[in-house]
Amino acid sequence: METRQQEQEKAVKRTVVRSIAALIGMFAFAFSLIPLYDVFCQVTGLNGKVSKRAQQITHQDVDDSRYITVQFITRGSAGLPWQMDVATNQLRVNPGQVSEISFTFMNHSDQESLGRAVPSVSPSEASQYLRKINCFCFDEQKLKANEKLTLPLVFQVVRELPKDINTITLVYTLYPVDEKEVSIAHGYLGIKGEVI
Amino acid sequence: MAKLPPKSMPLHSTPAAADGQLNTHTALPKGVMRWVLTTNHKEIGTLYLLFSLSMFFVGGVFALVVRAELFQPGLQLIDPEFFNQMTTMHGLIMVFAAVMPAFTGLANWMIPLQIGAPDMALPRLNNFSFWLLPVAFTLLLSTLLMPGGGPNFGWTFYAPLSTTYAPASTTFFILAIHIAGISSILGAINIIATILNMRAPGMRLMDMPLFVWTWLITAFLLIAVMPVLAGVITMMLMDINFGTNFFNAAGGGDPVLFQHLFWFFGHPEVYIMILPAFGIVSAIIPTFARKPLFGYTSMVYATAAIALLSFLVWAHHMFLVGLPLVAELFFMYSTMLIAVPTGVKVFNWVTTLFRGSISFEPPMLFALAFVVLFTIGGFSGIMLAIAPADFQYHDTYFVVAHFHYVLVPGAIFAIMAGAYYWLPKWTGHYPNERLAQWHFWLSVIGVNLTFFPMHFAGLAGMPRRIPDYALQFADFNMVSSIGAFFFGTSQLLFVIVVVICVRGGKKAPAKAWEGAEDLEWSVPSPAPLHTFERPPKFERSTS
């Protein structure tokens, strides 16, 4: 009887220790999913995530037989009183061709502020075939009060782009960076009208 | 299954007394402190069940506020902001404070009795995990009185609604969910430790009643996913208060990631709310069909299969976030695959009934309604699993109809069935037959009146979580609202039945139901405070 009870206590202890180990493991797993998710999205190009680093030009012949429409959309964001414009809304490019297009940033407020343009590519399968050689989206931008800044985007659509993709849409969304200066909630309520 | 003659048990003795040591239980605290300090699995089970029942009515009142506003198109009674808080709170309270604690309460009461253990493995931890719950939900409910109101982002609390645009009280919400989560985790550890180590000598895993089996698997699910929920809300907490950017696109985070993480918890969570229900129904149907359960082994494996598959289907809640085609197909097929083990279960229940000698006592009525109505909920689930069709159904009342069919006549009916089934064991009296029958029929009519029209409203395109709607949905909503008040009111009958049953009624013998064969029916009714101090000898039936 006594030994059975002692054995049982030992077994219970063992089960509890194992369960707690599993718990800690799952908690850590939840946090490890954050970097894993980013890696997964970048490797597969899912979710329209594009590489944040500058890429090399792939030297390849321009495929004259095929035209790809690349569309550009810019979006402002609550909390950042900036305007972002693009020189032309869409370009027709041949696969392999290196193109340049300029974007204009304008700070409408009387204060210096920091912002970042976050890109997203649609359809997401296309994101790994759109190579950005030079992009303002790699860095944060700082604009003085009422400053206007024009920055280039140099990109290339590589020839390996699947045949069924004819149009690629590149969306840039502006986000405030310095949270002390521009609180998102404040901007949403206060400067709504100025934001595009 | 175990076939044991009722054996007379010594009343009010303890394991310590049985070993000839000092009996510490003579100095039991009286009054409220007895309940605050109790480490007895039956008393803690009762506390869980009473807490869950009261929260069922709190969550029910929130639902009725929602249904009252939706009685007619237009905005009549409450502000849209308050409407959002009501839908959110209804969901949170029903999931975390009503259904989950009810199952934990039943587990506390019945698992030691069904496996022949004197108590849970960790009785003090058991007390702690119960008393965390009132703390958690007082905190959660108090957010309704805070400036800016309570959580208003739906029970799924998607970022950035719950981070960037959340009311100031969200930090309290996070704390409340953390505490409730710790409570569930501790409860799960306790249940696993009890089931794996404290079974009566001779009882193998495959001899355990199915309620024990389903709870063992549920407890593993809880241990696997509650930490993920804790992780998600910790990330929310840091996004809100410490300037991190887990879910904030501005800082390189991703709101879609929130949904992946949430549903990685959330889908197993819905099985946490239904697997113990399967166990209860698998106990009741053989009892009242007076036949052993058909396909016991396949029931165990089906439950395990459902639990494993539940980790592979989370993104079927996210068909519209822009998943690649391959992912849509994968999650569509894996979701449909769950219909196979679930179908095995339904088949086994029906086959158990086949040529049975069936009687229709209240627990059996609820169990039969469970089988039929849960299956309807299962079928609408398969419709929703079809990714291309889900583009139409997503976030409509069709989804609301689906999950209410699996949760109300599913989980809640199973809990009611379990309560009616085990009330004679808990109180020593049978529940009042006539009132219980009334309760059943009013509930069945009320549930269908409330939730069946929602299928049609949803297919016609009515979005969920919106306080106003287009005129063409008016009739469906009026029927739903009438049904909701009908159902809500009829649940008061349940309280009356329980109160009457506790106070008196027809005396129940140890084996309260003719066909009941599990170990709990070998102890007297009402079950004395301490049972199975000396482990019973478990005899395996040859059948």
Side-chain angles (χ1 to χ4, degrees):
Chain A
M1 188 67 198
E2 193 62 27
T3 49
R4 183 184 135 80
Q5 205 162 352
Q6 277 169 351
E7 251 171 53
Q8 206 169 60
E9 268 165 32
K10 237 184 246 169
V12 166
K13 206 177 220 175
R14 201 164 46 228
T15 313
V16 170
V17 168
R18 283 180 193 168
S19 313
I20 291 173
L23 276 178
I24 295 169
M26 285 309 290
F27 191 72
F29 173 68
F31 278 87
S32 71
L33 281 174
I34 309 288
L36 284 177
Y37 177 79
D38 271 347
V39 170
F40 183 78
C41 287
Q42 257 159 31
V43 170
T44 56
L46 293 180
N47 210 10
K49 285 205 175 186
V50 254
S51 172
K52 285 179 191 137
R53 280 170 292 115
Q55 287 158 303
Q56 300 264 299
I57 298 178
T58 314
H59 290 285
Q60 51 184 203
D61 294 332
V62 176
D63 179 2
D64 289 331
S65 64
R66 197 176 160 204
Y67 278 97
I68 308 296
T69 308
V70 184
Q71 302 176 324
F72 304 96
I73 297 175
T74 59
R75 296 196 308 182
S77 137
L80 189 66
W82 289 14
Q83 189 176 340
M84 181 178 175
D85 288 315
V86 58
T88 144
N89 284 329
Q90 66 178 40
L91 282 179
R92 305 237 310 146
V93 298
N94 298 117
Q97 178 192 341
V98 176
S99 322
E100 180 172 336
I101 182 165
S102 53
F103 285 78
T104 311
F105 295 79
M106 172 83 196
N107 182 354
H108 284 297
S109 78
D110 298 331
Q111 281 179 326
E112 184 181 86
S113 49
L114 271 173
R116 183 192 286 128
V118 176
S120 174
V121 174
S122 180
S124 54
E125 295 94 301
S127 56
Q128 51 191 317
Y129 305 101
L130 182 77
R131 304 175 69 86
K132 294 187 201 167
I133 290 100
N134 184 7
C135 180
F136 47 83
C137 57
F138 302 139
D139 305 302
E140 289 152 13
Q141 310 297 330
K142 189 185 250 180
L143 287 189
K144 294 193 187 72
N146 298 308
E147 188 187 348
K148 194 172 178 181
L149 184 67
T150 303
L151 293 167
L153 163 71
V154 183
F155 71 94
Q156 177 190 31
V157 178
V158 292
R159 295 185 60 151
E160 289 79 10
L161 182 76
K163 288 276 176 279
D164 58 327
I165 299 178
N166 298 313
T167 306
I168 299 174
T169 309
L170 189 51
V171 182
Y172 282 102
T173 311
L174 278 174
Y175 287 108
V177 171
D178 193 347
E179 283 160 336
K180 268 181 290 176
E181 296 264 40
V182 216
S183 113
I184 294 174
H186 173 75
Y188 176 69
L189 296 171
I191 329 168
K192 204 175 172 185
E194 295 171 51
V195 177
I196 294 166
Chain B
M1 289 286 95
K3 283 206 172 68
L4 278 180
K7 202 165 50 179
S8 69
M9 302 297 294
L11 300 184
H12 305 297
S13 62
T14 64
D19 290 344
Q21 292 162 8
L22 186 70
N23 187 346
T24 49
H25 287 258
T26 46
L28 269 180
K30 295 268 178 270
V32 181
M33 289 316 280
R34 172 185 165 188
W35 294 96
V36 173
L37 300 176
T38 181
T39 54
N40 181 287
H41 74 100
K42 302 187 183 76
E43 292 183 339
I44 293 173
T46 305
L47 285 173
Y48 264 109
L49 289 168
L50 291 178
F51 175 79
S52 148
L53 184 62
S54 48
M55 284 296 138
F56 176 58
F57 282 98
V58 172
V61 168
F62 293 164
L64 291 185
V65 172
V66 168
R67 279 318 323 169
E69 176 58 51
L70 292 173
F71 184 67
Q72 285 187 320
L75 296 175
Q76 282 80 228
L77 302 170
I78 51 174
D79 294 335
E81 288 77 18
F82 189 65
F83 181 92
N84 290 343
Q85 293 173 34
M86 285 291 102
T87 53
T88 306
M89 278 298 208
H90 164 68
L92 290 170
I93 293 288
M94 286 304 194
V95 168
F96 293 106
V99 173
M100 288 173 68
F103 283 129
T104 316
L106 291 172
N108 261 296
W109 246 106
M110 301 321 299
I111 286 177
L113 285 180
Q114 290 196 319
I115 63 174
D119 203 313
M120 299 294 280
L122 308 153
R124 291 185 207 184
L125 193 74
N126 206 9
N127 172 293
F128 182 57
S129 48
F130 170 75
W131 283 107
L132 284 175
L133 284 180
V135 175
F137 292 101
T138 309
L139 201 59
L140 184 64
L141 290 170
S142 72
T143 59
L144 286 174
L145 308 173
M146 291 179 187
N152 57 2
F153 27 68
W155 87 274
T156 51
F157 49 97
Y158 280 5
L161 276 179
S162 60
T163 52
T164 311
Y165 304 107
S169 66
T170 305
T171 306
F172 287 89
F173 154 82
I174 291 172
L175 185 59
I177 298 297
H178 259 310
I179 298 173
I182 291 169
S183 164
S184 310
I185 287 171
L186 296 181
I189 292 180
N190 209 343
I191 286 168
I192 292 178
T194 308
I195 297 175
L196 291 186
N197 303 311
M198 298 182 65
R199 296 191 306 279
M203 185 188 266
R204 299 169 310 183
L205 283 174
M206 289 309 271
D207 296 325
M208 299 192 308
L210 262 168
F211 179 65
V212 181
W213 252 117
T214 52
W215 241 115
L216 180 65
I217 291 167
T218 303
F220 275 112
L221 284 182
L222 279 167
I223 293 219
V225 299
M226 286 318 253
V228 176
L229 174 71
V232 176
I233 55 179
T234 306
M235 290 172 205
M236 275 172 61
L237 185 77
M238 296 203 280
D239 270 11
I240 295 172
N241 295 306
F242 307 125
T244 58
N245 293 302
F246 286 107
F247 308 126
N248 183 7
D254 193 335
V256 175
L257 175 62
F258 175 90
Q259 297 187 26
H260 281 292
L261 285 175
F262 177 81
W263 286 114
F264 187 80
F265 146 78
H267 201 78
E269 167 70 16
V270 306
Y271 292 115
I272 286 167
M273 292 190 284
I274 203 65
L275 294 185
F278 291 165
I280 295 171
V281 170
S282 304
I284 292 173
I285 288 183
T287 297
F288 295 95
R290 290 163 183 83
K291 273 177 66 190
L293 183 71
F294 182 86
Y296 171 88
T297 314
S298 67
M299 282 299 216
V300 172
Y301 283 109
T303 311
I306 292 173
L308 289 177
L309 282 172
S310 75
F311 288 102
L312 300 174
V313 298
W314 76 89
H316 67 212
H317 299 269
M318 306 166 52
F319 281 143
L320 267 78
V321 301
L323 297 178
L325 185 64
V326 183
E328 302 249 346
L329 287 171
F330 172 78
F331 287 109
M332 176 169 103
Y333 289 128
S334 61
T335 305
M336 288 179 162
L337 205 56
I338 291 187
V340 176
T342 314
V344 167
K345 288 185 153 294
V346 175
F347 177 83
N348 286 346
W349 291 322
V350 173
T351 314
T352 306
L353 291 169
F354 182 66
R355 291 193 164 178
S357 170
I358 304 174
S359 58
F360 296 92
E361 284 90 340
M364 183 62 162
L365 288 174
F366 274 100
L368 291 175
F370 170 93
V371 175
V372 175
L373 298 177
F374 174 80
T375 306
I376 293 179
F379 280 137
S380 58
I382 296 177
M383 287 175 71
L384 286 162
I386 303 167
D390 185 67
F391 279 59
Q392 162 85 6
Y393 307 150
H394 189 91
D395 259 351
T396 67
Y397 260 80
F398 191 76
V399 179
V400 179
H402 157 69
F403 69 71
H404 279 95
Y405 257 87
V406 288
L407 279 175
V408 185
I412 303 241
F413 271 25
I415 293 165
M416 298 278 181
Y420 281 123
Y421 184 56
W422 286 310
L423 263 173
K425 185 54 62 194
W426 301 338
T427 66
H429 309 286
Y430 285 101
N432 183 304
E433 179 78 15
R434 181 177 288 266
L435 281 178
Q437 297 261 0
W438 269 100
H439 173 226
F440 169 74
W441 287 107
L442 294 179
S443 295
V444 144
I445 295 167
V447 151
N448 286 296
L449 210 55
T450 310
F451 299 115
F452 211 79
M454 288 183 184
H455 289 115
F456 304 125
L459 288 179
M462 178 170 163
R464 64 191 281 211
R465 291 175 172 155
I466 310 280
D468 191 5
Y469 49 84
L471 290 178
Q472 67 266 32
F473 306 126
D475 293 346
F476 289 138
N477 277 285
M478 193 174 277
V479 175
S480 278
S481 289
I482 292 170
F485 278 89
F486 186 87
F487 178 75
T489 316
S490 62
Q491 296 319 301
L492 294 171
L493 257 181
F494 178 69
V495 179
I496 295 172
V497 174
V498 171
V499 170
I500 292 177
C501 187
V502 170
R503 290 171 152 228
K506 196 177 136 200
K507 286 258 179 291
K511 186 174 165 179
W513 311 103
E514 192 191 358
E517 303 289 358
D518 289 328
L519 270 182
E520 75 262 34
W521 305 106
S522 66
V523 304
S525 299
L529 202 55
H530 298 286
T531 41
F532 295 131
E533 281 134 2
R534 294 203 178 275
K537 187 89 189 77
F538 178 79
E539 288 159 41
R540 199 168 297 120
S541 67
T542 43
S543 56

